[in-house]
Structure formats: C-alpha cells, structure tokens
Amino acid sequence: MARPSDHVDGARLWQRLMELGQFGARPDGGVDRQTLTEAEIAARAHLVALGRSLGLAPFTDAAANLFLRYPGRRPDLPPVMAGSHIDSQPTGGRFDGAFGVMAAVEAVEAIRAAGLVPERAIEIVAFTNEEGSRFAPGMTGSDLFTGARTLADVAEIRDADGIAQGEALAAVLASDQDVPRRPFRRPVAAFVEPHIEQGPILERDGIPIGVVTGIQGTRRYRVTVTGEAAHAGTAERHERRDALMAAVRMIAAIDRTASDPADTKLTVGMLEVTPNAPSVVPAEVLFSIDLRHPDNAVVDRLDAAIRAIVESERGPCAASLRQIQHNPSLTFSPAVRGAIAAAAAELGLAHRDILSAAGHDARQLHGVCPTGMIFVPCRDGISHNPAEWAEPDDLTAGARVLADVLWHLANRDGSLAVAS
C-alpha cells in the first residue's frame, strides 16, 4: 500500500507557508496577523479557497474556528483532527501556528495523492485567538469548541481600542462566503498539533522530530494597584499612596519567590501606569503575571505566595488580584505519542520525547479526545519574533510524520484512551 508520507511535497509546503506569511507581513520579515483582524480575515479566505481547490469542504462555528474536511468512508464516525492557529503576535514570525495548519493541509493532500480514503474523516483546523495578543486570555477558539468557556464568557472581552471580542467574531463570520456553521462540542476521535518547538532543545541535539509528552502548568493574573494621584513636588513621601511603588515592591518580591525552583518561568510582560505623567504620583497600576512550571504542586505553592505578596506589599494602597487563566500540567495520550514515535522511526527520522513549555490549543483538546503534538526545531529557539525561523527540511519531516500518523489514527479500530 502507498505510504502517505511518500507524497509529501516539501517545496509545496514551504511555498504555502510563505504565501500565508504575506497576510499581515511586516517589513522586517515577520507577521502581524492578530486575531479577528482584516489580515486574519484575508488569510482565512485564502485557506478556504485553498481547501476548496483540493476538494475539501470548509465549515466554521460561532467561535470562527475554521475547518476543512476530507471525508472518510464512514461519515458516522468522529473525525481525526489536525492543525493549529493562524493568528500571530504583533511582532510574530511566519511559522508559529501557521506551520501546524499548513502541515495538516500538506498531510491531507499527500493522503489524497496516494489515492487513499480513510475510514474516518480528517479535518484540518485553524483555531481562533490562540495567541491572546488582542483579546486576553487566548485559546478562545479551542476553549469554546471544547466547552471550557462559553460565548458569554468571552463576548465582552475588549481589545486596546475598546472593540468587544463578540463584535469582532461577528465581523469575521459575516465575511465568510458560503461557509456552513456547525455547533461546538462535536465528537473528535483524536487531535494532532504540529508546531515549531519554540525552544532550543531539538536544534541543539540535532533531532528533527519531538514527540511532545505534555504541557507544563500555567497561571495568569492581572493585578490592579489603586493609590492616589498627587503632586510630585509637594506631596510628602510618608503621606503618599503611590501605586507604582507598591507595584514595584510586589513584582520584586514575586520575582525573588519564583526563583525557587530555578526552572520556574515568571513573566511580568504588561505594566500600565495611570496617569503616566513624570510629575504626578501614580494613581493606578495594572500589571500582568504569567507563571509556569511542569509540577502542579510548585505552581499551586507559588500561587499562594503571589496572593500573599500582593496583600503584604500594597502598603497604603488598595490592591486586587484577578486570575484570568489556570491550566494544570498535563500528559498527552500514550497512544498518540506512540503513533508519532512509530511513524518517525519508520521514516528513519531521529526523534525524542520533549515537554512543551508553551501553551497550545492541544491543551484544550486533550480534555475531550486523545491528543498529541509533533515538534520540529526552530533556529535558536526564537519565537514570537520576526527572526523566527525553521528549516524547510525539518518542516517537511514534521509533515511526513503527520501524514502517516493521521492515516494511522483515521483507520484505527476502537477508541484511544485519554491520558490524564
């Protein structure tokens, strides 16, 4: 029997990635294709046209998730799904998310080129707002698809210009041309997400395929410190309610606490100061906290410490902490991981187990179906940056593994157990 991976065309995959990178292209070679913007609407229409040219049926849902369906012999069976997302950070690259979607397109085209029709349908997916750069938190599409959140939960989240996510979703859906809409929570037999590693391990070790074992735990917060505006020249220090000084004390103390254990990832990536004037004591500060670690017990311990620090370091100011996201560490399905490793071995491709330090839509799908991820190397581990780069040969290797994995999963009898 023909092997789907033999029909993967690396040059075609690369060309399509470069074409997709033109939507929201930046002068520095990067991509600014934030979710639900005109750039993403255009990229979405491009994917619909590409799918139709390959005989794939497009459809969407109320979250504007985009699906391209390759039918199987048994339409009554839940499909196997593969893909990622096409939205980017404001200073993003051409591969984060996009590779997963275009690799899935290439894998399905390879299966078609081999003259193969699977038992189950295979659906390519581009989930909405994985990045969360415009509407925070991210993973909106996969959260809504799996039922982790509802439309009511996300509709009133607003971007920096005050546009509500619900309004933006409506605009994207209105732009669709004859794309049927389907409900959330449709059954899925399995999900595989190809992705660049966004870390240096695979490149350092000279290994083209990472079999992702799971994703480390994450908690995200917004902290608001409220003081009182005052004249910088006349307000006595001991009488001030300086929101920025309180926030600085909090951040410094949280940073010290999060240094143990050493592999904890702590980021304060957003800081908003009001009124942000050089001669006015700051009246209010909003800052973000992103906390990650593979051990759920570590994340929980630091969560308690962060909450205590915000209270103890606020001084004469008021302070509130709002947790906007909590995702415990998880382990992907052994059956899907085994299929990925077996496909790589069959193709003679070196591979290794690897933990994902970043969050992905696969986290959400893990809760409803057997799930796995395929990592490929990226240069110096750089991502969320115009300098993001992946070698064509590595991308081709990932797509070849994906093609064989999808064929295997789409023809597998019985069910795959969901790992905890």
Side-chain angles (χ1 to χ4, degrees):
M1 186 187 72
R3 188 167 61 180
S5 55
D6 294 337
H7 295 266
V8 167
D9 186 331
R12 180 173 60 198
L13 171 61
W14 182 264
Q15 179 183 347
R16 287 175 176 166
L17 274 168
M18 295 305 101
E19 288 172 352
L20 188 63
Q22 294 306 302
F23 296 95
R26 294 166 47 94
D28 56 9
V31 172
D32 181 3
R33 191 169 58 234
Q34 295 182 71
T35 193
L36 307 177
T37 58
E38 290 300 321
E40 196 192 30
I41 289 174
R44 175 188 172 89
H46 172 76
L47 281 176
V48 170
L50 174 60
R52 284 179 168 146
S53 74
L54 301 176
L56 309 179
F59 62 95
T60 188
D61 57 26
N65 295 316
L66 178 63
F67 305 87
L68 302 172
R69 182 180 176 92
Y70 180 49
R73 300 181 190 276
R74 294 278 308 277
D76 57 308
L77 295 177
V80 170
M81 191 179 292
S84 191
H85 61 96
I86 61 170
D87 65 309
S88 80
Q89 293 289 332
T91 55
R94 289 174 286 181
F95 305 95
D96 177 5
F99 166 62
V101 176
M102 302 314 282
V105 170
E106 183 60 36
V108 169
E109 185 162 8
I111 292 170
R112 290 178 70 251
L116 300 172
V117 179
E119 287 294 300
R120 299 174 183 273
I122 300 173
E123 291 181 358
I124 300 158
V125 60
F127 285 113
T128 298
N129 189 30
E130 191 270 356
E131 294 290 359
S133 60
R134 182 182 177 197
F135 298 105
M139 312 294 177
T140 302
S142 52
D143 266 345
L144 294 179
F145 178 82
T146 60
R149 286 190 284 174
T150 68
L151 280 169
D153 294 332
V154 305
E156 291 305 316
I157 296 173
R158 296 183 181 271
D159 67 7
D161 296 322
I163 298 172
Q165 189 164 204
E167 299 170 16
L169 282 170
V172 171
L173 293 171
S175 73
D176 283 339
Q177 299 293 319
D178 300 320
V179 178
R181 196 178 303 184
R182 296 190 181 180
F184 299 138
R185 294 304 302 267
R186 291 179 299 105
V188 179
F191 175 66
V192 184
E193 183 171 7
H195 211 282
I196 58 171
E197 181 193 347
Q198 299 179 291
I201 295 171
L202 294 177
E203 184 189 46
R204 181 193 65 203
D205 292 352
I207 295 176
I209 299 296
V211 182
V212 183
T213 57
I215 301 177
Q216 71 176 342
T218 306
R219 286 187 190 254
R220 292 188 175 96
Y221 311 85
R222 295 292 185 266
V223 179
T224 302
V225 184
T226 305
E228 184 178 57
H231 193 294
T234 60
E236 298 292 341
R237 287 286 300 274
H238 68 277
E239 295 178 346
R240 293 182 182 186
R241 297 173 57 213
D242 189 326
L244 181 56
M245 290 299 183
V248 168
R249 290 194 300 270
M250 293 174 191
I251 294 168
I254 292 168
D255 182 48
R256 288 192 298 270
T257 300
S259 63
D260 180 26
D263 57 344
T264 302
K265 306 293 194 306
L266 173 77
T267 304
V268 176
M270 180 183 73
L271 188 70
E272 297 177 359
V273 181
T274 303
N276 202 29
S279 296
V280 180
V281 174
E284 185 175 272
V285 171
L286 170 68
F287 66 92
S288 64
I289 302 172
D290 185 309
L291 174 67
R292 309 186 191 211
H293 194 274
D295 187 337
N296 288 323
V298 170
V299 176
D300 292 345
R301 175 177 62 79
L302 291 173
D303 168 72
I306 287 169
R307 294 174 186 275
I309 287 168
V310 168
E311 177 60 27
S312 65
E313 297 295 342
R314 66 181 179 84
C317 298
S320 65
L321 179 147
R322 179 169 59 96
Q323 180 176 283
I324 64 169
Q325 199 165 39
H326 175 207
N327 294 310
S329 293
L330 60 86
T331 300
F332 285 135
S333 161
V336 179
R337 287 158 46 197
I340 294 168
E346 180 68 22
L347 291 169
L349 294 168
H351 59 281
R352 58 158 290 171
D353 286 350
I354 187 169
L355 178 72
S356 176
H360 301 280
D361 290 306
R363 175 191 289 281
Q364 275 63 21
L365 271 293
H366 168 81
V368 299
C369 70
T371 296
M373 294 189 71
I374 301 167
F375 273 178
V376 298
C378 60
R379 183 189 292 165
D380 298 327
I382 294 172
S383 185
H384 288 187
N385 186 311
E388 179 181 278
W389 180 263
E391 292 297 329
D393 286 349
D394 291 330
L395 300 176
T396 301
R400 294 186 71 205
V401 171
L402 177 66
D404 289 348
V405 168
L406 291 182
W407 176 249
H408 168 76
L409 295 176
N411 291 284
R412 182 180 174 118
D413 293 330
S415 62
L416 301 167
V418 181
S420 61

